[in-house]
Amino acid sequence: MKNHVLVVSALIILLLVYVFQKLSYAGLINNFLPAGFQINHSNTVFIVNRALRLIINDGACMLLIWGLFKETKYLKAAFLVFCVELLFILPLYFIVKLTLEGPSELSSPLLSQIHRIIVNPFLMVILIIAFYYQKVTARE
């Protein structure tokens, strides 16, 4: 029963992040910061919003992986992918995106696809499919 609660909770979090994808996390943070420390520069707002969305999405996906599989090795692999995504791929995306296009919502076709892979939980969904495939083939 507890697994179902984890899976449903993770799916609800993912749905809420999708529904509120235009939400400015930087704006929410600014509500708690004094005037001199608020996040106002457009590039910084862009980075904060995308980075927090990635962290929430991948955290929900890791919760989903734990709820589906209850395997520490799968959670460790997901965390490793998350760290690579957060520490290497996301900064590269920010550099390219902000250098070529600035913080606009619209992207070129190439950057749009990269955005989908990084900010949306695409890599984690691929991991879940791979873990399921591995679990099914291990039984046979």
Side-chain angles (χ1 to χ4, degrees):
M1 179 70 174
K2 187 177 178 183
N3 290 355
H4 298 299
V5 172
L6 292 175
V7 169
V8 170
S9 297
L11 292 174
I12 289 171
I13 292 168
L14 289 169
L15 178 67
L16 288 173
V17 170
Y18 176 74
V19 168
F20 295 107
Q21 63 185 307
K22 301 290 183 193
L23 175 72
S24 174
Y25 297 103
L28 291 175
I29 292 169
N30 282 341
N31 290 330
F32 299 101
L33 295 175
F37 295 100
Q38 292 194 348
I39 304 164
N40 293 321
H41 190 272
S42 58
N43 285 353
T44 308
V45 169
F46 181 83
I47 289 170
V48 167
N49 287 338
R50 295 308 184 276
L52 287 176
R53 186 170 162 200
L54 169 85
I55 291 167
I56 295 168
N57 272 335
D58 282 0
C61 285
M62 289 182 4
L63 182 67
L64 182 61
I65 287 168
W66 182 251
L68 289 173
F69 302 107
K70 287 287 191 192
E71 298 263 353
T72 307
K73 65 181 179 180
Y74 293 156
L75 201 57
K76 286 180 182 178
F79 184 73
L80 180 64
V81 167
F82 168 69
C83 287
V84 168
E85 192 177 32
L86 182 67
L87 299 175
F88 297 106
I89 300 172
L90 188 63
L92 287 173
Y93 166 72
F94 286 149
I95 290 167
V96 172
K97 167 71 173 147
L98 294 174
T99 301
L100 295 179
E101 299 176 343
S104 68
E105 288 295 321
L106 297 174
S107 293
S108 66
L110 174 64
L111 283 177
S112 180
Q113 298 307 318
I114 294 171
H115 169 86
R116 285 188 180 97
I117 290 171
I118 295 170
V119 178
N120 296 337
F122 184 73
L123 291 175
M124 287 292 180
V125 170
I126 290 173
L127 266 181
I128 291 170
I129 294 167
F131 293 155
Y132 179 75
Y133 178 77
Q134 183 179 2
K135 194 168 188 164
V136 167
T137 56
R139 285 186 208 158
E140 295 173 359

